[in-house]
Amino acid sequence: MRRRGVGSRLLCRIVLIAFILSPAASAAAAPELTVSLPRRFTAREGALYLGEIARLSGRAEAVHRASLARVTPTDGAITRNAVIDALVRRGLGGYTVSLAMPEQVTVRPEPRVARDVRALSRWAWGLDVHTDAPEPQGRLTGPRSITPGTTATVLRYDHDGYQQVVPVTIRWTQPAPVALRRLDRGDIITGGDVALRFVLRSGLDRPAGMQEVVGSRAATYIEKGDVIYDGHIEPVPAVRRGEAVRIRARFGSLVVEARGESLQTATLGERVRVKNLASREVLDGTVVAPGVVLVEERE
């Protein structure tokens, strides 16, 4: 029996997503995930997140997973097979997927001004830099850095003593948590309330990290579809001063628990002082779960 090559295995993956699972639902049913790519686009070098380059829609969980699928252009192009392979690696083999793209998408390298903005800002995500000036020549002399979120600046170049000034406008795209429902002030945010989407960065405010958002409390009203920023959330205390806690102490491979009282209010991961109610000893530890404090390993 002949062994199937890489192409055959990949074909099976295409069938897995596009043929076997799609007919499981009625022909009129909407796919769980729709991925659409243009015929050509400009992008940075290296691996690209699908959320940077594609239009994604469908179930929130599927969009979240697909947005973080990574594809690497080969010889200046991304193929349908490469996108399907990336989706499968992200665990989307069990979803119905509609893939709208040509057999091969052309990926153009960024022009010099975009590469220079990327280097000055150390920006790893999507970047759209526009200028009406001619392609710069010579050595970049300024500015020394660019703050991500800056919408316009001027690049300066020195070419054999001639100073060239290149005004640019910049659009920044990055992954950010987006509310999937209306969140009122005081709501505890769960994993089902948010999804990671690639969005246009507006201003200099930094979107909150996904890990920071889940488990936090809405500090203000957040509309469905809004990007969640640091100022929109506040940590939820995992232990409060005066409340009962479980104290865990390690003795080698042995873990011992005791009843205690928290002497401070703290969130997950923070240091806190607790009192052992049996021995009355005051200990320093780390909040590892709501109402649970792990003290340092003891001899």
Side-chain angles (χ1 to χ4, degrees), residues 13 16-17 21 65 87-97:
R13 289 180 174 179
L16 175 65
I17 293 177
L21 296 176
R65 290 191 185 187
L87 292 173
V88 171
R89 289 197 305 271
R90 284 294 300 170
L92 288 160
Y95 288 74
T96 55
V97 178

Side-chain angles (χ1 to χ4, degrees), residues 225-237:
D226 282 356
V227 175
I228 300 177
Y229 292 88
D230 288 335
H232 291 165
I233 58 174
E234 58 188 11
V236 177

Side-chain angles (χ1 to χ4, degrees), residues 33-39 41 50 53-57 83 97-102 105:
L33 174 67
T34 298
V35 181
S36 177
L37 278 86
R39 290 188 173 276
F41 59 86
L50 204 56
I53 60 178
R55 213 165 43 244
L56 304 173
S57 61
V83 173
V97 178
S98 172
L99 181 57
M101 65 174 289
V105 168

Side-chain angles (χ1 to χ4, degrees), residues 190-212:
T190 69
D193 294 330
V194 291
L196 195 67
R197 303 278 173 82
F198 278 77
V199 300
L200 186 66
R201 180 159 177 168
S202 178
L204 303 180
D205 291 337
R206 186 184 75 88
M210 198 69 167
Q211 291 181 336
E212 300 167 341

